[in-house]
């Protein structure tokens, strides 16, 4: 055979392999969300870190492809959408690898990262055709606050104002909202709009939302973009607020109000927000997600008290609406979403002793499944897990009045001091009044335990179960 024909045959062979690979190669869009500070950045960093460092002492025994020895390698590849921010993996790993190590900075908005995972197929048909298959994973990080806005799509400005007025006029919000409510009372809603006044009041309202989230630890924050504006910071589309005196406004006057009146402009901006911000997010991003992870920090609200916990319950209810695929659901009517697996993960499980993990999962189950009964989730497979993306404590035992007590030990974030503590018990169901009287949950922020180089695996709890649930069935 001539050299040329040999070369030609080689080329043809390569082409054939390429076609086979393209047929079997897989792709998945994975979305990660959760309210601010719930642990999204730490989660994605750990997710990527576990995969790209597999082999260097990573602990992924529940991830079948690794356990069975068929995992070859994973690497980062350029992301799909160039107009979306990059998930700053290197910056996050840099924080974990410093001495002393620290947590990555808070993020604001949406970002993306793409991974290519190569493995040896086990499926007899695929195995016959090719030695290796690549699973491409697009990971998107976006704020859970954006999902809290879904109900807005179904509400008129008047209805939304009424919903929000109810929140603002009851405890715990009312004590901070009174000044704002008084200012609104002074306004003539039908007078020509003063845009500066409108901007100032929108600013006051945004500040209130910040206090609710960061000072009171509340979760129901609407509109979600006000505290996490992404690239919309200072845009007029975010300059509106609920009108809290609808009970004093004549219905006809409201209907006939011109756009240059205060109430008319508030209504117009609300409608604009609904269309250009909320609907756009669902259309441009949400409907393309295949699988979703919702991270929930249940421990901080337990530590904050009943108001904060009750608010988390309501926020999870609202977030669940985005996965309600029932025929008559708002989501189904407006879009064609395709998420088929939904993982709810209670983060920061390294803050409690291991015998409490079951309770934490049971508690999250109650939060999630309470809504599941009311809505239709038939098309989505769901799972709940208690995880730590980056485990930052060690577990031990301490003697207390002659009894062995399980304790955790870690570096306190506020001063870096090594402390040992029994953090308290987590209820295994939605806490009743007596829980709050009898228990004091002690949630103390910890720094990462020890520095981890970028080529080493981060310590974790149950990230392998996360990987198996989200990717396992795609790896054949
Ligand atoms: N102990 C422990 N703390 C964690 C873990 N994950 C996150 N944290 C803590 O939670 C904080 C917030 O984590 P991030 O990953 O930045 O959360 P986020 O959801 O990305 O926050 P935003 O970007 O502000 O929305 C961190 O700074 C840590 O203090 C974990 O696995 N274990
Ligand atoms: Mg973040």
């Amino acid at each position: 055979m001539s050299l040329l024909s040999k070369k030609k045959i080689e080329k043809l062979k390569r082409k054939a392999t390429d076609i086979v690979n393209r047929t079997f190669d897989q792709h998945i869009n994975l979305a990660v969300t959760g309210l601010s500070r719930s642990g999204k950045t730490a989660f994605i960093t750990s997710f990527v870190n576990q995969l790209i460092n597999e082999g260097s002492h990573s602990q992924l025994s529940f991830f079948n492809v690794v356990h069975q020895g068929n995992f070859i390698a994973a690497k980062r590849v350029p992301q799909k959408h160039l107009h979306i921010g990059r998930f700053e993996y290197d910056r996050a790993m840099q924080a974990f690898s410093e001495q002393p190590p620290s947590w990555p900075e808070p993020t604001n908005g949406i970002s993306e990262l793409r991974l290519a995972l190569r493995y040896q197929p086990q499926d007899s048909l695929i195995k016959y055709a090719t030695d290796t298959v690549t699973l491409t994973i697009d990971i998107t990080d976006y704020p859970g606050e954006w999902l809290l806005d879904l109900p807005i799509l179904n509400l008129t400005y008047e209805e939304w104002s009424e919903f929000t007025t109810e929140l603002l006029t009851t405890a715990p919000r009312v004590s901070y909202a009174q000044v704002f409510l008084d200012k609104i009372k002074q306004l003539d809603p039908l007078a020509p709009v003063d845009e500066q006044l409108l901007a100032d009041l929108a600013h006051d309202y945004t500040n209130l939302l910040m206090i609710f989230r960061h000072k009171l630890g509340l979760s129901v924050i609407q509109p979600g973009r006000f505290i996490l504006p992404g690239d919309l910071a200072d845009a007029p589309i975010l300059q509106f607020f609920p009108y809290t005196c609808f009970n004093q406004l004549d219905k006809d006057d409201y209907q006939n109000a011109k756009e240059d009146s205060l109430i008319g402009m508030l209504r117009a901006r609300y409608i604009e927000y609904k269309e250009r911000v909320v609907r756009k997010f669902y259309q441009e991003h949400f409907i393309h997600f295949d699988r979703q992870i919702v991270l929930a920090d249940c421990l901080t609200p337990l530590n904050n008290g009943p108001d904060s916990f009750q608010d988390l319950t309501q926020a999870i209810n609202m977030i669940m609406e985005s996965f309600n695929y029932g025929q008559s659901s708002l989501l189904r009517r407006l879009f064609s979403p395709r998420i088929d697996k939904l993982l709810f993960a209670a983060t920061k499980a390294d803050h409690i002793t291991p015998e409490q993990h079951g309770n934490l999962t049971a508690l999250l189950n109650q939060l999630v499944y309470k809504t599941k009964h009311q809505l239709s989730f038939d098309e989505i497979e769901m799972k709940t897990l208690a995880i730590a993306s980056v485990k930052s404590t060690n577990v031990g035992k301490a003697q207390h009045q002659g009894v062995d007590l399980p304790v955790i030990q870690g570096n306190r974030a506020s001063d870096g001091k090594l402390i040992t503590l029994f953090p308290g018990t987590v209820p295994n169901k939605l806490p009743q009044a007596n829980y709050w009287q009898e228990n004091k949950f002690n949630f103390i922020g910890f720094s990462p335990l020890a520095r981890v180089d970028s080529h080493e695996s981060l310590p974790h709890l149950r990230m392998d179960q996360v990987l198996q649930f989200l990717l396992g069935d795609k790896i054949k």
Side-chain angles (χ1 to χ4, degrees):
M1 203 186 293
S2 75
L3 194 63
L4 191 72
S5 59
K6 241 185 179 175
K7 262 190 177 168
K8 255 190 181 161
I9 289 171
E10 279 300 315
K11 207 173 161 188
L12 274 175
K13 258 187 171 171
R14 266 206 308 275
K15 235 184 180 169
T17 317
D18 267 3
I19 292 169
V20 167
N21 281 349
R22 240 177 279 146
T23 324
F24 290 113
D25 283 351
Q26 300 254 27
H27 177 256
I28 188 165
N29 283 323
L30 215 62
V32 179
T33 197
L35 298 177
S36 59
R37 315 311 291 141
S38 58
K40 300 179 290 293
T41 304
F43 175 87
I44 296 176
T45 307
S46 179
F47 188 99
V48 173
N49 168 276
Q50 307 301 334
L51 289 176
I52 61 181
N53 291 314
E54 208 298 307
S56 37
H57 308 292
S58 67
Q59 291 166 357
L60 299 179
S61 32
F62 280 97
F63 190 26
N64 286 350
V65 65
V66 169
H67 182 67
Q68 291 159 357
N70 300 318
F71 184 94
I72 300 173
K75 64 173 183 187
R76 280 185 294 153
V77 290
Q79 73 188 64
K80 183 164 77 177
H81 299 112
L82 299 180
H83 63 286
I84 296 178
R86 193 159 53 108
F87 179 83
E88 300 274 9
Y89 175 78
D90 293 316
R91 195 184 289 174
M93 277 314 296
Q94 169 77 29
F96 287 124
S97 63
E98 273 161 7
Q99 187 60 276
S102 59
W103 293 100
E105 292 288 310
T107 49
N108 175 2
I110 190 162
S111 62
E112 254 188 28
L113 177 145
R114 178 175 269 196
L115 272 182
L117 185 160
R118 267 195 321 131
Y119 64 94
Q120 290 167 333
Q122 289 311 290
D123 181 290
S124 50
L125 186 70
I126 307 175
K127 212 157 112 183
Y128 181 73
T130 177
D131 295 338
T132 66
V133 178
T134 302
L135 173 64
T136 305
I137 311 164
D138 279 311
I139 306 174
T140 307
D141 172 356
Y142 71 94
E145 280 77 2
W146 295 3
L147 294 183
L148 292 178
D149 277 351
L150 179 74
I152 282 185
L153 286 180
N154 216 16
L155 298 178
T156 63
Y157 175 65
E158 185 177 358
E159 289 166 337
W160 176 71
S161 290
E162 275 161 6
F163 168 76
T164 316
T165 307
E166 174 73 30
L167 287 179
L168 292 176
T169 51
T170 44
R173 290 176 174 80
V174 66
S175 49
Y176 288 88
Q178 200 55 57
V179 177
F180 174 77
L181 291 167
D182 290 343
K183 280 190 193 172
I184 304 285
K185 247 188 225 153
Q186 307 302 320
L187 300 174
D188 174 1
L190 301 170
V193 65
D194 169 351
E195 282 209 52
Q196 188 53 50
L197 177 70
L198 193 145
D200 291 346
L201 287 168
H203 187 248
D204 287 353
Y205 181 66
T206 308
N207 280 346
L208 270 181
L209 294 181
M210 292 286 190
I211 292 174
F212 297 157
R213 177 69 192 141
H214 300 296
K215 193 162 175 169
L216 300 183
L218 300 177
S219 304
V220 178
I221 302 295
Q222 256 187 0
R225 293 293 160 126
F226 279 37
I227 64 164
L228 286 159
D231 52 4
L232 292 174
D234 297 326
I237 201 165
L238 300 194
Q239 287 172 356
F240 66 93
F241 48 86
Y243 182 64
T244 49
C245 301
F246 261 103
N247 52 358
Q248 290 160 27
L249 181 60
D250 180 79
K251 280 218 171 338
D252 285 338
D253 284 349
Y254 172 63
Q255 291 306 338
N256 300 327
K258 297 261 176 340
E259 213 173 280
D260 59 3
S261 65
L262 173 71
I263 198 79
M265 182 156 289
L266 285 172
R267 180 174 56 199
R269 288 198 177 166
Y270 172 83
I271 293 171
E272 195 78 354
Y273 178 84
K274 204 161 133 170
E275 294 304 315
R276 284 184 190 264
V277 179
V278 185
R279 190 183 296 273
K280 193 169 158 212
F281 167 70
Y282 279 89
Q283 259 161 359
E284 280 189 5
H285 302 285
F286 194 82
I287 56 166
H288 302 296
F289 298 149
D290 302 310
R291 292 194 174 166
Q292 174 74 59
I293 307 113
V294 178
L295 303 176
D297 173 1
C298 302
L299 300 173
T300 307
L302 266 188
N303 190 47
N304 286 343
D307 287 338
S308 176
F309 196 83
Q310 170 52 35
D311 221 64
L312 173 72
T313 312
Q314 194 178 350
I316 289 189
N317 271 319
M318 289 164 76
I319 287 176
M320 291 297 280
E321 274 291 343
S322 288
F323 308 100
N324 173 13
Y325 283 12
Q327 286 306 326
S328 60
S329 79
L330 173 63
L331 200 71
R332 194 25 85 71
R333 278 188 281 119
L334 298 177
F335 314 103
S336 319
R338 62 178 199 205
I339 289 167
D340 63 351
K341 281 192 171 207
L342 174 59
L343 175 65
F344 265 91
T347 52
K348 312 180 194 180
D350 55 334
H351 276 263
I352 52 174
T353 45
E355 85 291 349
Q356 301 282 324
H357 286 181
N359 278 9
L360 182 58
T361 317
L363 178 66
L364 183 63
N365 258 323
Q366 279 230 340
L367 283 171
V368 169
Y369 284 85
K370 209 177 108 207
T371 342
K372 194 170 183 270
H373 291 308
Q374 295 150 16
L375 307 173
S376 167
F377 293 93
D378 299 343
E379 293 163 43
I380 304 188
E381 187 186 340
M382 288 176 44
K383 189 177 173 73
T384 46
L385 275 175
I387 65 162
S389 312
V390 183
K391 181 173 162 293
S392 302
T393 62
N394 284 321
V395 179
K397 284 210 174 343
Q399 282 260 323
H400 181 66
Q401 297 173 344
V403 190
D404 265 352
L405 262 189
V407 288
I408 54 171
Q409 192 172 62
N411 298 323
R412 186 161 54 195
S414 56
D415 56 5
K417 213 169 135 193
L418 186 69
I419 57 159
T420 302
L421 86 155
F422 176 70
T425 54
V426 176
N428 62 4
K429 50 183 186 301
L430 301 179
Q432 305 296 313
N434 60 348
Y435 173 83
W436 302 108
Q437 283 146 19
E438 290 160 15
N439 294 273
K440 182 77 197 95
F441 192 76
N442 198 3
F443 186 94
I444 289 177
F446 291 108
S447 302
L449 255 187
R451 64 179 297 274
V452 172
D453 261 336
S454 57
H455 61 271
E456 294 170 336
S457 304
L458 290 161
H460 68 87
L461 291 174
R462 301 192 187 89
M463 284 302 284
D464 48 349
Q465 294 189 39
V466 167
L467 289 164
Q468 180 57 27
F469 178 73
L470 294 171
L471 307 179
D473 63 318
K474 290 276 174 185
I475 299 175
K476 296 192 180 98

